């Protein structure tokens, strides 16, 4: 379980995603989109990286992982 509450259920978010990172024009927008991405388990419109509990890393758009 995450500390984030899924507004659809009112319960803590259940996800295989351990961490979501979003690169956005400003920090507050990045935080909001990272939380939305984690709860919905969908990439945002901005560059996004998901780190899964099993160690997998997945990214969209132009993020280079090294």
């Amino acid at each position: 379980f995450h500390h984030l509450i899924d507004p659809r259920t009112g319960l803590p978010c259940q996800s295989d995603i351990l961490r979501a990172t979003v690169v956005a024009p400003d920090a507050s927008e990045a935080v909001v989109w990272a939380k939305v991405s984690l709860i919905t388990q969908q990439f945002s419109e901005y560059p996004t990286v998901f780190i899964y509990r099993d160690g997998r890393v997945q990214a969209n758009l132009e993020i280079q992982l090294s």
Side-chain angles (χ1 to χ4, degrees):
F1 291 104
H2 282 277
H3 68 283
L4 300 175
I5 302 298
D6 187 334
R8 299 170 294 188
T9 64
L11 300 171
C13 174
Q14 292 186 4
S15 174
D16 288 335
I17 300 170
L18 183 62
R19 178 171 292 151
T21 300
V22 175
V23 179
D26 60 67
S28 59
E29 196 168 354
V31 169
V32 168
W33 279 110
K35 290 178 181 183
V36 169
S37 295
L38 196 146
I39 290 170
T40 63
Q41 299 183 46
Q42 296 179 8
F43 288 109
S44 77
E45 61 191 47
Y46 296 114
T48 304
V49 175
F50 289 155
I51 299 174
Y52 293 87
R53 293 184 186 280
D54 64 6
R56 289 180 295 134
V57 178
Q58 193 175 23
N60 71 342
L61 301 178
E62 296 296 322
I63 290 183
Q64 294 185 0
L65 304 174
S66 56

